[in-house]
Amino acid sequence: MSGVPDHLRRPVRGMRDWLPPQFYALRRMEEVLGAVAESFGYRRVETPVVEHFEVLAKKAGEEVVKEIYYFRDKAGRELGLRFDMTVPVARVLSYNLDLPRPVRWYYFTKVFRYDEPQHGRYREFYQFGVELIGSPSPRADAEVVQVLAASLEAAGASNYLVKINDRRAVDKLLESLGAAQYRDVVYKALDKKLKLPREEVVGIMTEGGLSREVAEEIYDAAGELSLEEAVDVLSKLDPKLGAAYGKFVNYLEASVPLEKMRFDMSIVRGLDYYTGIVFEAFVGEYRLAVGGGGRYDDLLGLYSGVPTPALGFAVGVERLMEAVGLQAVEKPLDYYIYIFDDDAYKYAVAVARKLRAGGHSAVVELGEKSLKDAFEYALKTGARHLVIIGRRELEKGVVKIRDLEKREEVERPLSDFLA
């Protein structure tokens, strides 16, 4: 058999094809999540898929930089595919400094990471997220977490948990232990805490230069607490930080169910641009991580030179769809119109035009199937109605409409469609 090899007929590794049932499931998720963001006053934004590599790498962190799809164009420029939308949004705002603040933007779009493909994780994938730019208020932090919670609930993820931390808390902990110089090593280790056994996480820290005693103390401190308990813990580390976190918790309590929120100092996020509150969302009995975010007050200043507070979150859409069981949505054809010969073609086209004008989908048979084959095709493709226009129907001035779900058949005057 001729043709290209099998591996060339498949998508590039880590990417996927979206057939109609899967694509309409994606569209449904887009509509649901977009409606939530719009209801909170966020407005949709889009940026180019291709960015200058220097822009992407500026504050991404070593691990993420390794995952950037990098290439040179024909003019020799160093470019890359965006790995998230936070960095492109920061770039866009760097030359739109006159926009009234705070700016509330959201997106539902493709991003790319050259990571090892896993179940439910692709190299080309969709992200939904929001960015709130221009406010340092803890009310802004609470609002973004509220949008995240509302988005998860609207998507059907009633069984969810948001784990929240503040990077400044980790920094204060390290200062109290005399280990501030090991910050990068500790962040790298804590970011693995939910994925690796205790010994391996402690090992990352000791290999990085910490004593085993201090590494284990850090590991134990990075446990899970209620938000109320966390206020006390942070107040002991730093009274000012504790007071700010207390305000944040009070605002959260007014807007989201606190039993679905937990403090966890191991949540540090893998991107270097985070500066304050960080959080991750987990869905289902097995706590599938579907997304997260945090505050990045220094990022916009890197591009514009103007210090600008900001925060946001992003959700991996495919992961969320898997978590809530939204894998396929059928979009059946409303009317399949069958004619026996060309004499009826102009009437079939007129009927189809009228149906489409009424908001229905309609297909006219291409003249290649018998009535039996057309009937079987309509059933296989999930068409709801089969419309028959033959010589007998034309003589009577009617069209025959068969409801394939109810198995009922009616005749309607052809003039209804020709008016």
Side-chain angles (χ1 to χ4, degrees):
M1 183 177 178
S2 61
V4 298
D6 183 67
H7 74 278
L8 295 181
R9 297 199 298 269
R10 305 289 180 178
V12 173
R13 188 167 186 261
M15 303 188 185
R16 65 181 292 187
D17 296 317
W18 291 84
L19 275 62
Q22 289 73 44
F23 184 74
Y24 282 112
L26 179 72
R27 284 287 301 274
R28 178 171 294 179
M29 188 62 77
E30 181 179 7
E31 291 164 3
V32 167
L33 297 177
V36 172
E38 294 275 350
S39 74
F40 277 85
Y42 290 74
R43 295 298 175 254
R44 190 161 180 173
V45 67
E46 183 58 276
T47 69
V49 168
V50 178
E51 293 278 355
H52 293 285
F53 179 74
E54 184 179 352
V55 169
L56 294 175
K58 204 168 185 70
K59 196 68 173 173
E62 183 180 346
E63 291 300 314
V64 175
V65 168
K66 291 177 182 176
E67 296 175 359
I68 295 175
Y69 270 88
Y70 166 86
F71 60 96
R72 289 180 182 268
D73 67 6
K74 293 182 179 179
R77 287 176 288 244
E78 292 186 286
L79 305 174
L81 302 183
R82 63 190 181 197
F83 60 84
D84 72 1
M85 280 292 287
T86 302
V87 170
V89 164
R91 177 190 57 74
V92 171
L93 287 165
S94 72
Y95 70 91
N96 285 283
L97 296 174
D98 57 341
L99 287 173
R101 307 298 170 92
V103 173
R104 288 178 171 87
W105 282 351
Y106 81 95
Y107 48 84
F108 189 107
T109 195
K110 283 184 179 181
V111 295
F112 303 81
R113 293 187 187 181
Y114 196 83
D115 196 4
E116 186 61 30
Q118 301 174 28
H119 176 72
R121 179 179 291 177
Y122 301 90
R123 290 175 172 174
E124 175 192 62
F125 57 99
Y126 283 85
Q127 276 191 343
F128 161 76
V130 309
E131 310 294 343
L132 175 51
I133 300 102
S135 173
S137 169
R139 291 187 189 179
D141 299 322
E143 178 182 306
V144 169
V145 174
Q146 185 182 356
V147 177
L148 173 60
S151 300
L152 295 174
E153 290 173 2
S158 57
N159 183 12
Y160 70 88
L161 179 70
V162 179
K163 293 189 174 186
I164 306 172
N165 186 25
D166 194 307
R167 277 195 167 196
R168 294 168 296 182
V170 180
D171 294 344
K172 291 295 181 182
L173 174 64
L174 296 182
E175 286 176 18
S176 70
L177 297 172
Q181 68 269 35
Y182 299 106
R183 180 178 186 268
D184 291 346
V185 172
V186 172
Y187 272 41
K188 180 180 178 182
L190 291 181
D191 196 41
K192 308 288 187 184
K193 188 171 183 283
L194 299 179
K195 304 170 188 174
L196 298 177
R198 176 191 179 97
E199 275 304 307
E200 291 188 41
V201 176
V202 170
I204 293 172
M205 288 189 270
T206 56
E207 288 169 12
L210 281 95
S211 68
R212 184 171 185 85
E213 181 183 357
V214 171
E216 290 189 341
E217 190 168 348
I218 292 169
Y219 186 98
D220 292 336
E224 195 176 299
L225 305 169
S226 71
L227 295 190
E228 295 90 343
E229 291 171 327
V231 174
D232 293 335
V233 170
L234 296 191
S235 295
K236 290 174 184 176
L237 284 173
D238 183 273
K240 187 177 178 181
L241 177 59
Y245 203 81
K247 277 190 174 182
F248 165 66
V249 173
N250 287 337
Y251 294 139
L252 266 187
E253 190 173 15
S255 56
V256 299
L258 280 192
E259 65 271 14
K260 292 184 178 292
M261 308 284 147
R262 298 288 286 174
F263 179 81
D264 189 332
M265 210 180 285
S266 71
I267 302 298
V268 292
R269 306 287 292 162
L271 294 160
D272 281 357
Y273 55 61
Y274 288 117
T275 57
I277 283 185
V278 286
F279 49 87
E280 288 190 18
F282 301 84
V283 172
E285 179 185 355
Y286 299 105
R287 297 295 179 213
L288 179 67
V290 297
R295 183 167 280 282
Y296 50 94
D297 287 345
D298 298 336
L299 184 62
L300 276 80
L302 292 176
Y303 302 109
S304 67
V306 179
T308 306
L311 77 156
F313 73 78
V315 168
V317 176
E318 288 92 334
R319 297 293 291 275
L320 181 57
M321 290 171 68
E322 178 184 350
V324 301
L326 181 60
Q327 298 300 310
V329 171
E330 298 295 336
K331 192 173 178 67
L333 177 70
D334 293 324
Y335 292 91
Y336 185 91
I337 304 171
Y338 183 82
I339 55 176
F340 288 89
D341 54 47
D342 284 347
D343 291 341
Y345 184 74
K346 65 179 181 180
Y347 299 104
V349 170
V351 169
R353 184 185 300 120
K354 183 79 170 182
L355 291 169
R356 291 170 191 145
H360 303 290
S361 56
V363 163
V364 176
E365 159 57 26
L366 299 175
E368 299 165 342
K369 298 185 189 309
S370 66
L371 179 57
K372 179 184 176 183
D373 290 341
F375 182 73
E376 290 178 357
Y377 176 80
L379 290 175
K380 287 180 180 178
T381 57
R384 287 179 172 154
H385 301 89
L386 177 64
V387 179
I388 300 173
I389 309 176
R391 186 164 299 171
R392 186 180 304 168
E393 284 74 31
L394 290 178
E395 290 174 354
K396 292 176 64 177
V398 299
V399 296
K400 189 179 293 181
I401 303 176
R402 183 176 297 174
D403 188 318
L404 299 177
E405 290 182 351
K406 298 179 180 179
R407 298 186 179 183
E408 298 174 353
E409 191 171 281
V410 297
E411 290 183 350
R412 283 185 56 187
L414 185 58
S415 58
D416 289 355
F417 298 96
L418 303 181

